[in-house]
Amino acid sequence: MLYVEWYLMKKSFPKLGVLVSGRGTNLQSIIHHIQSGDLHAEISVVVSDQPNAYALQRAREANIPSVVVHRDKTLPKESFDRKLIETLQVHGAEWIVLAGFMKILGPVFLAHFPQKVINIHPSLLPKYPGLNAIQSAFENKEKVMGVTVHYVNEGVDTGPVIMQEKVLIDPSDSLEEVESKIHKAEHQIYPKAIQKVLWNK
Ligand code: GRF
């Protein structure tokens, strides 16, 4: 393939806006799969509501534009959603990928990107939605845990499922070992699920 053909092909890849709040290991995995050529997408911007999120550092190291959008609690929640929309629009983001983003997105945001917002959650939804999913499943001594990629709707982790993967738990596994198995599964499934929704393959 000629360089110019390769360049034009890359330019036509769908643009992702990745929303983060924390350490960004899922962001890192997405970056890795884009760079290695098996996820056909471009990250146009990484947006964090937390200025100290390590995910921002990962974006900088990969030369991806990154922006912090503060949630000003004195303003209505909708104004945060509008600031997010504006930032994502400025960077041309077409698909919104939540990767450890800890704020709930409201109807204004979701109406702006209909069926274009996806999330990863560390449980086999509909089991264990919301916070502390891994710990709750571990405390309940679940033998089969897992991860889910789903479209985001107005509920908490209630949108239509895109892909799920089971993770088998050994009774001798510590919580740390379980967390590590779950995160490893997340890092494998998320790029695959993104490729699936973008390209239907
Ligand atoms: C992941 O466990 C993800 O499922 C959940 O938040 C965590 C984010 O981790 N939504 P990281 O910031 O990608 O490392």
Side-chain angles (χ1 to χ4, degrees), residues 19-27 46-58 99-102:
L19 305 193
V20 296
S21 298
R23 59 193 181 138
T25 61
N26 280 286
L27 168 67
V46 170
V47 182
S48 175
D49 62 317
Q50 300 294 326
N52 298 324
Y54 188 66
L56 291 168
Q57 176 67 18
R58 296 181 194 270
F101 185 63
M102 298 304 287

Side-chain angles (χ1 to χ4, degrees), residues 22-27 99-100 102 119-122 134 183 186-187:
R23 59 193 181 138
T25 61
N26 280 286
L27 168 67
M102 298 304 287
N119 182 41
I120 186 157
H121 183 75
I134 302 177
H183 293 312
E186 287 189 321
H187 302 157

Side-chain angles (χ1 to χ4, degrees), residues 81-96:
D81 281 17
R82 290 196 188 284
K83 273 200 280 179
L84 283 177
I85 293 169
E86 199 187 308
T87 307
L88 290 160
Q89 263 183 334
V90 164
H91 288 85
E94 299 158 307
W95 288 83
I96 313 306

